[in-house]
Amino acid sequence: MTREPLRTPFHGYESLPSYVSRFAGLYCAPDAATFASWFGANFKEVCAGSQRDLEKMSVILDCEPETMRERVAYGRRVTRTLNGHLFPRDFVRGIQDRVCLRCLADDENHGSGQKDLRPYGRMTWMISLLQACPRHKVVLHRLPSIPWKLGDDFRKRLGMGWRDNLEREIVETEPTPLDEYIVARFEGTAHQPTWLDCLPLSAALRLCDAMGAETGRVDRMLPFDMARAKKVNDGFSRISASEEQFMSEIGGLIERGYPRRQFTAVSVFAELPSDFILDMHHEEFSRACFLMREAALKLLPLGPGDDVFGPITTRKFHDAITAGRELEIPASLIRIALGSGKGAQRDKRNSAEMFDAALVENLRVEFSADSSLYTKARSRFRTMLQCEELESRLAESAPDRSGPLSEAKSKLKTKTDVIWSLASDGHLPIFRADNPKPHWRIPIKELEEFMRRHMSRLELSHCLRDWRKLGRRHRIEDFTPIIFEADVGEAFYDRIEISQLI
C-alpha cells in the first residue's frame, strides 16, 4: 500500500523560503537546510532561485520550478526579481526577516494545516519600502537573525515562542498611502486609482523614489529602510494624485535647475539622479517620459538639436541665449531688440524670459535689412563662436589650451552664472568637452586676454580698499563699466583705463 505524501497549502503570495521551511516541519526535519539536503538540494541556493536546486525540490513540493522561482527574491548586482517585478536591489530584502505579528496570529487561529505550521511569510513583507501592514495597522516586526548556514529558514527565524510576547512586540501605526499602494498593486487588490497604475509597480516606485530624493528631506537618524520608505512616500504623495500634479512638480523642478546651454534629459531634470534619468529610456517609463517631455516643452526654449527623451524637431520658444546663438547676436541685444531692455530680470539658472519663435524670426529680417545694426557686437559674437568650434576640436589633442569653468570663476573673482552670461553675450568662449566625462571648458588664451582688459566690480572694490590705505580717495562710482551688470549679472571695468587713472 502506497502512502500519500504529506502536504501543506502553498498560500497565495507566500514566499518560497517560508513554504519550504513549513514543509520541512511537516516531515519533522530539524531545519529547512537539512530537509533540502535529503533531496540533493542546497536550501540557500533554493532561496537564491537556482534552477538546478529548484528542479530537485519541485518533486517533493509538487510545484513547477518556474512557479517556485517567482516566489523568491533573486537577481544579480543592482536588481532583484520578486513575483515577476524587477526591483532595484535595495527595494527588496533578500531574506524573509520582517512579519506582521497579527497576520501570523490570524494564520494560526483561522488557517488550515497542521498547528504551529500555519503561519507563513508573505512576499510583500520582503519589499523594504513597506513599513506597516495596511490590514492590521501595525509596524512590521523584525525577526531575530539565525546562523547563516541555516539560510532563510522562516520557521527557525520565527521561533516557537513568538506568540508569548505577541502584544508586547506589536507597535500600532497608521499605514502610509505608499504602504497601501504597494500591497494593493503587488497582490492585485482594489485600491484608489492613480495614474501611476499605468506603470509597472517597480517603475512607479522608482519614480516616487526619484521625486522624493529631489526634496532632500531624509532623516539620517532613521534606519536606512525607514528613511528610504519615508522619502518614497513623500514622492508618492506629491505626484500620485493626477498627471497634472506630476507635471506641476516636474515644472517646478525644471525652473529650479534651468540649464544654460545644452538641453538634454539629464541637464533639464538635473535635480533627479542621472542614473535614473538614463534608465527612463526603457519602455516601462514611457508614459512618465511623455509627461516630463511635455512639461519641458512648455517651459524651456527647446528646438532642433535638443534631446529630451527623444529629439526635438520643432521650436516653439526662444530665450535670449538660444535666440542669440541662432542669430549670432549677443543675448543682451536680443533683450533690447525685443523690448526687455537692460532693466529686465537677469537670465539666471532658475529663470528664463521666453519669446515666441516667430518673434525672433522677425528679428532676423530686421537685422538683415540693416547690416550696420550692432555690427561691432555681432562681429565679436561670431568670432567667439568660431573660437568655440576650434577649441572644441582641439580639446582632446591639446587639453592644456583650456581649463574648467571653476578656473575662470577663480581668476575673474566672480560667480559661475556670470561666466555663462559672459559667454551668452559673446565675451568669453565656452565649449563642451567629452573626456574624461562631459563637462564645459574655457580657452586659457581668451580668458587671459579678457582678464588683461577687464576687471570685475568685486576686484575693483578690493583694489579701492587697498588704495585708500595709501591715501588715494576714489569711489567705485567714479568709474564707468564697459560691460553692464544688467547684461551679464556683474559689472566689468576697463582695467587699462583704471591703471592709468590710479
Side-chain angles (χ1 to χ4, degrees):
M1 181 176 178
T2 304
R3 185 178 179 180
E4 287 292 323
L6 299 176
R7 289 282 178 258
T8 188
F10 197 1
H11 300 282
Y13 302 105
E14 179 180 4
S15 68
L16 182 63
S18 165
Y19 183 55
V20 175
S21 179
R22 294 193 306 115
F23 214 98
L26 197 64
Y27 280 81
C28 300
D31 52 66
T34 301
F35 177 71
S37 68
W38 293 349
F39 304 94
N42 184 317
F43 179 61
K44 286 193 287 187
E45 291 298 318
V46 170
C47 296
S50 167
Q51 187 67 24
R52 172 179 169 274
D53 292 272
L54 288 176
E55 288 175 354
K56 292 180 179 180
M57 291 301 298
S58 66
V59 178
I60 184 62
L61 298 180
D62 192 24
C63 188
E64 292 295 327
E66 287 307 313
T67 303
M68 296 165 62
R69 188 176 173 83
E70 290 179 356
R71 304 291 190 97
V72 297
Y74 67 91
R76 302 195 181 281
R77 295 187 180 179
V78 297
T79 61
R80 277 197 177 112
T81 301
L82 182 64
N83 198 33
H85 299 278
L86 183 65
F87 292 101
R89 191 174 185 84
D90 53 355
F91 279 18
V92 176
R93 305 182 66 80
I95 55 177
Q96 184 87 69
D97 65 342
R98 297 187 312 157
V99 298
C100 169
L101 292 174
R102 285 187 176 159
C103 283
L104 298 183
D106 285 350
D107 296 340
E108 184 66 31
N109 296 330
H110 308 294
S112 59
Q114 182 176 313
K115 192 173 176 60
D116 293 330
L117 296 179
R118 293 173 184 172
Y120 64 94
R122 279 73 163 170
M123 286 186 288
T124 49
W125 297 342
M126 300 177 72
I127 301 175
S128 58
L129 300 179
L130 184 71
Q131 294 296 304
C133 173
R135 180 183 175 189
H136 294 106
K137 299 183 179 181
V138 297
V139 175
L140 294 184
H141 175 71
R142 181 68 61 86
L143 296 175
S145 59
I146 57 176
W148 68 271
K149 64 181 180 180
L150 297 178
D152 189 20
D153 193 328
F154 180 75
R155 192 166 55 93
K156 283 288 185 182
R157 196 183 296 276
L158 187 60
M160 297 303 295
W162 65 272
R163 286 168 296 182
D164 299 340
N165 302 317
L166 184 63
E167 292 304 321
R168 190 184 68 183
E169 297 290 347
I170 287 177
V171 179
E172 295 187 349
T173 187
E174 193 65 31
T176 65
L178 179 67
D179 292 329
E180 296 174 346
Y181 182 74
I182 289 174
V183 173
R185 280 292 306 273
F186 194 87
E187 297 183 353
T189 56
H191 65 284
Q192 183 69 32
T194 169
W195 76 271
L196 291 173
D197 294 345
C198 70
L199 305 177
L201 176 59
S202 56
L205 294 180
R206 286 198 67 190
L207 184 61
C208 294
D209 179 47
M211 295 301 294
E214 176 263 326
T215 68
R217 297 196 295 267
V218 177
D219 188 346
R220 297 187 180 277
M221 298 302 292
L222 295 174
F224 176 77
D225 284 354
M226 293 179 64
R228 191 66 175 272
K230 182 179 179 182
K231 180 176 61 176
V232 178
N233 182 64
D234 177 71
F236 180 80
S237 300
R238 294 170 59 202
I239 70 173
S240 62
S242 65
E243 293 183 345
E244 290 72 22
Q245 183 189 32
F246 174 60
M247 292 181 69
S248 174
E249 291 289 339
I250 288 295
L253 182 148
I254 291 172
E255 290 174 351
R256 290 193 298 274
Y258 177 65
R260 280 286 176 191
R261 179 72 63 84
Q262 191 174 38
F263 295 101
T264 64
V266 172
S267 66
V268 168
F269 309 109
E271 292 191 14
L272 299 181
S274 58
D275 56 341
F276 170 70
I277 293 297
L278 296 175
D279 285 347
M280 286 193 74
H281 289 83
H282 298 160
E283 180 64 26
E284 59 187 14
F285 290 103
S286 58
R287 184 60 185 173
C289 289
F290 172 79
L291 296 175
M292 293 170 72
R293 179 184 168 99
E294 287 298 303
L297 286 169
K298 292 178 181 178
L299 296 171
L300 295 176
L302 302 177
D306 299 322
D307 189 323
V308 180
F309 299 126
I312 306 296
T313 55
T314 58
R315 181 181 292 279
K316 293 182 180 180
F317 303 107
H318 271 294
D319 66 0
I321 297 174
T322 59
R325 296 188 77 81
E326 186 166 311
L327 302 182
E328 298 183 345
I329 300 171
S332 59
L333 301 187
I334 293 289
R335 297 188 190 98
I336 294 172
L338 292 176
S340 300
K342 291 185 178 180
Q345 184 182 11
R346 275 292 311 123
D347 170 33
K348 297 180 180 179
R349 289 190 69 85
N350 60 348
S351 62
E353 192 175 9
M354 306 283 283
F355 310 106
D356 190 271
L359 192 60
V360 174
E361 282 302 313
N362 294 337
L363 279 185
R364 189 192 300 273
V365 177
E366 292 179 19
F367 289 139
S368 300
D370 186 357
S371 58
S372 63
L373 189 63
Y374 309 131
T375 301
K376 183 177 180 180
R378 295 179 71 184
S379 175
R380 182 189 73 222
F381 197 85
R382 286 171 178 168
T383 302
M384 185 200 74
L385 293 179
Q386 294 169 0
C387 179
E388 285 183 354
E389 184 179 354
L390 174 64
E391 293 295 336
S392 179
R393 291 200 304 265
L394 295 175
E396 271 194 57
S397 58
D400 56 329
R401 290 174 56 101
S402 59
L405 296 192
S406 57
E407 183 174 339
K409 173 185 172 182
S410 175
K411 289 185 176 180
L412 292 178
K413 296 180 174 61
T414 188
K415 298 176 290 186
T416 304
D417 275 356
V418 174
I419 303 297
W420 280 107
S421 298
L422 287 169
S424 300
D425 235 38
H427 297 286
L428 280 175
I430 293 177
F431 63 94
R432 178 184 170 92
D434 292 326
N435 288 319
K437 61 181 182 180
H439 64 291
W440 296 93
R441 298 181 70 80
I442 187 166
I444 298 297
K445 181 180 178 182
E446 278 66 24
L447 176 60
E448 291 176 347
E449 178 63 21
F450 182 86
M451 292 174 58
R452 189 183 66 81
R453 295 190 58 250
H454 299 84
M455 177 184 292
S456 70
R457 181 184 179 89
L458 178 63
E459 185 180 357
L460 177 59
S461 65
H462 289 172
C463 290
L464 292 178
R465 183 184 59 193
D466 295 336
W467 291 332
R468 288 192 193 100
K469 296 177 182 178
L470 301 176
R472 300 174 183 176
R473 301 297 177 183
H474 289 281
R475 298 179 306 165
I476 203 164
E477 291 78 11
D478 297 336
F479 304 93
T480 303
I482 56 176
I483 299 177
F484 294 96
E485 182 178 2
D487 291 337
V488 299
E490 183 171 354
F492 284 84
Y493 300 83
D494 190 321
R495 187 184 295 271
I496 298 175
E497 178 185 343
I498 292 173
S499 63
Q500 293 173 349
L501 290 174
I502 303 298

